[in-house]
Every structure is written in structure tokens, then in C-alpha cells.
């Protein structure tokens, strides 16, 4: 699914295929989510080292351990 500010759309292609087509302002944050960095409102970190991303539309998702390095490099964290 693709979640926009107004609706939830069903995507019929695989995530890796979608990731190849998207512009540079998108980053993979976990196995099932590619995020638009322009729509991120804030990051929340925990003591255990997890990173929660909060989007402007209210959606929340965690960065996986596998993607943590790429996300931190992308945002300079």
C-alpha cells in the first residue's frame, strides 16, 4: 500500500521495483516501507537504540536494524 495525505492506495508491483522507480527523496526504512523524506515530521529515539519515524500525516513506523545505517547516513544522524 501507498499512504498519502488523503488516501491509501494499493500498489501492484514489488517493493524493490517501486524503490528503483522512485526519486532520491525516498529511502527504505524497513522491509515493507519506503519513506518520502519530505513528509517526515520527526524522529524519536529510544534507550534501546530503535528509531521511530513520525510522518506529517500521523503515520508512524520503525527503522529496521538492517536499514539503520543507511537512514542515519542519509540524515546525518
Amino acid at each position: 500500500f501507498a499512504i498519502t495525505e488523503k488516501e491509501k492506495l494499493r500498489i501492484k508491483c514489488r517493493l524493490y521495483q517501486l524503490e528503483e522507480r522512485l526519486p532520491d527523496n525516498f529511502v527504505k526504512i524497513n522491509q515493507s516501507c519506503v519513506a518520502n523524506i519530505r513528509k517526515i515530521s520527526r524522529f524519536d529515539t529510544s534507550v534501546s537504540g530503535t528509531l521511530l519515524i513520525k510522518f506529517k500525516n500521523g503515520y508512524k513506523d520503525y527503522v529496521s536494524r538492517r536499514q539503520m545505517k543507511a537512514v542515519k547516513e542519509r540524515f546525518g544522524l
Side-chain angles (χ1 to χ4, degrees), residues 1-3 11 17 22-24 27-29 34 39 42 44 46-47 53 55 57 61 63 69 72 74 76:
F1 290 96
I3 300 173
I11 305 294
Q17 294 169 330
L22 292 171
D24 289 338
V27 63
K28 185 173 182 176
I29 62 170
V34 177
K39 300 296 181 180
R42 63 186 245 195
D44 286 340
S46 71
V47 177
I53 295 179
F55 294 89
N57 65 357
D61 209 343
V63 177
K69 182 178 178 183
K72 284 184 175 183
R74 184 73 180 267

Side-chain angles (χ1 to χ4, degrees), residues 33-51:
C33 184
V34 177
N36 184 347
I37 61 175
R38 295 179 184 161
K39 300 296 181 180
I40 293 174
S41 122
R42 63 186 245 195
F43 294 98
D44 286 340
T45 58
S46 71
V47 177
S48 63
T50 59
L51 188 62

Side-chain angles (χ1 to χ4, degrees), residues 2-32:
I3 300 173
T4 66
E5 293 176 4
K6 297 179 182 178
E7 58 189 339
K8 190 174 184 180
L9 306 167
R10 185 179 193 117
I11 305 294
K12 293 186 179 184
C13 64
R14 302 271 183 196
L15 191 62
Y16 72 90
Q17 294 169 330
L18 181 63
E19 194 176 2
E20 291 172 355
R21 296 179 190 173
L22 292 171
D24 289 338
N25 60 314
F26 285 83
V27 63
K28 185 173 182 176
I29 62 170
N30 59 43
Q31 189 175 0
S32 62

